[in-house]
Amino acid sequence: MPSDIVLSVENLAKQFGTLEVLKSINLTVHRGEVVVIIGPSGSGKSTLLRLINQLEQANRGNITVGGQVLCKNDPHGRSVYAAKADLKTIQLKIGLVFQSFNLFPHFTIERNITEAPVHVLGQPITEAKSKAAVLLEKLGLTEKAQNYPFQLSGGQQQRAAIARALALEPQVLFFDEPTSALDPELTGEVLKVIRQLAAEHMTMVVVTHEMAFARELADRIIFMDQGVIIEEGTPDQVFNSTHERTRQFLRHYSE
C-alpha cells in the first residue's frame, strides 16, 4: 500500500440479520485529504464509520489503517480480524467525534482530554495536561478546562470532544454528523474548527448533511445510498453530477 494512503477499504460488507446495510464498499483516503460522505439517512454512512472504528464487525471485506491490517477476508470470504494487541494499536491511529459528544459527564473538560493519553498512552499527567492546555486554547475553551460537560453549550461540548480526539494524535479523524445535535447558531463554531483542521492538512473523513460545508471543505465527496457508493469525485463533479440519484438527493437540499 502506498505510504500516503492512511485508510484502505476493500469490498466491505455488513449485514444485520437479513438486512444488508453495506454492499461491497471500496474507499481509499490519502494523508492530508478531507473526504466528505453524504447521502440519505439509512444509506450506511454511519455504519461504515463504525466498522472502521471497531464499533461493529464486518461480515466481509478488508480494512487497512496506517499500513496495518484491521481485518481481511479468509478463503471463505469472511472477514477475520487482527490479534487483540494489533487492534488496540490500530485504534490509536483513529479518532472519532460522535454526533452526541459522548463526553464523560463526571469528569472536567481537562480530564476528559487527558484521560486517554494518561491511561492508554501512558503519558505523564503533567505532559498530558500541558498538551490539553494547547488544544483547549486552539479550540477556544481555555476558560472551560475545569468545567463539567453540563456547564458547556452544545457547541462547546462538541469542540471539547474534538480536543479529546486530537489528544491521541490520530492519523485520521472521523466525524459522524458532528453538527446534527446543534442548533444553527452553534453549528458555525464547530464547522470553523473543522475548517481550521483542514487548513492544517489533518486527514479527515466527515459524514454530514451540511451540503454547503461539504462543498467548501471536501477534497473528495462520496455519495452513498442503500449501502453502496453511487459516485465519488471532487465537489464540483458531484454537485454538478448527471447521475439521476445524486441529482435527486442534492435537489432536496437546494429546495
Side-chain angles (χ1 to χ4, degrees):
M1 189 170 71
S3 59
D4 72 326
I5 294 179
V6 178
L7 171 68
S8 174
V9 173
E10 299 174 330
N11 301 316
L12 192 65
K14 176 63 180 177
Q15 288 179 234
F16 293 105
T18 58
L19 178 64
E20 197 171 15
V21 182
L22 292 179
K23 308 166 188 175
S24 196
I25 296 292
N26 292 282
L27 169 66
T28 301
V29 178
H30 295 261
R31 183 170 287 106
E33 188 177 27
V34 179
V35 175
V36 175
I37 305 175
I38 62 173
S41 297
S43 60
K45 306 182 302 294
S46 292
T47 299
L48 174 59
L49 263 57
R50 291 179 66 82
L51 290 174
I52 298 167
N53 284 272
Q54 302 182 40
L55 298 174
E56 302 281 358
Q57 287 207 335
N59 296 105
R60 299 188 308 278
N62 310 326
I63 302 174
T64 304
V65 181
Q68 281 189 276
V69 174
L70 171 63
C71 65
K72 63 179 179 180
N73 278 344
D74 67 10
H76 304 288
R78 293 187 295 261
S79 281
V80 176
Y81 278 73
K84 190 173 290 186
D86 292 329
L87 293 179
K88 184 176 179 181
T89 302
I90 292 168
Q91 188 61 53
L92 294 176
K93 297 181 178 185
I94 296 172
L96 175 61
V97 179
F98 299 88
Q99 53 185 284
S100 55
F101 321 138
N102 282 24
L103 296 168
F104 296 114
H106 55 297
F107 288 171
T108 64
I109 298 306
E110 180 187 65
R111 188 170 173 190
N112 264 281
I113 297 169
T114 60
E115 190 72 2
V118 170
H119 294 286
V120 177
L121 297 183
Q123 282 183 8
I125 186 64
T126 52
E127 180 183 344
K129 284 186 175 183
S130 177
K131 290 184 175 181
V134 172
L135 287 169
L136 287 168
E137 181 178 8
K138 179 177 181 176
L139 275 67
L141 293 170
T142 297
E143 295 179 357
K144 304 296 182 182
Q146 299 310 316
N147 286 39
Y148 290 86
F150 77 90
Q151 297 173 307
L152 275 61
S153 70
Q156 290 169 335
Q157 288 186 60
Q158 191 61 293
R159 282 185 281 151
I162 294 171
R164 181 180 61 182
L166 291 172
L168 290 174
E169 300 180 5
Q171 291 188 19
V172 56
L173 189 56
F174 293 86
F175 292 87
D176 187 9
E177 297 285 4
T179 61
S180 66
L182 304 176
D183 62 44
E185 189 173 350
L186 299 177
T187 292
E189 63 186 60
V190 173
L191 297 183
K192 181 181 178 182
V193 169
I194 300 175
R195 284 190 191 95
Q196 181 182 353
L197 293 173
E200 296 169 358
H201 305 293
M202 180 76 200
T203 308
M204 293 186 285
V205 177
V206 184
V207 169
T208 186
H209 285 297
E210 300 279 346
M211 292 301 111
F213 179 69
R215 188 167 195 168
E216 171 203 343
L217 182 78
D219 294 307
R220 185 157 43 99
I221 292 179
I222 291 172
F223 173 57
M224 289 182 64
D225 189 28
Q226 298 184 356
V228 299
I229 293 176
I230 301 296
E231 68 175 312
E232 64 177 290
T234 66
D236 280 347
Q237 287 172 334
V238 173
F239 278 87
N240 295 300
S241 174
T242 57
H243 194 291
E244 180 52 36
R245 182 64 188 98
T246 308
R247 290 167 63 89
Q248 181 186 35
F249 173 77
L250 292 173
R251 196 156 51 235
H252 171 74
Y253 281 93
S254 61
E255 291 172 352

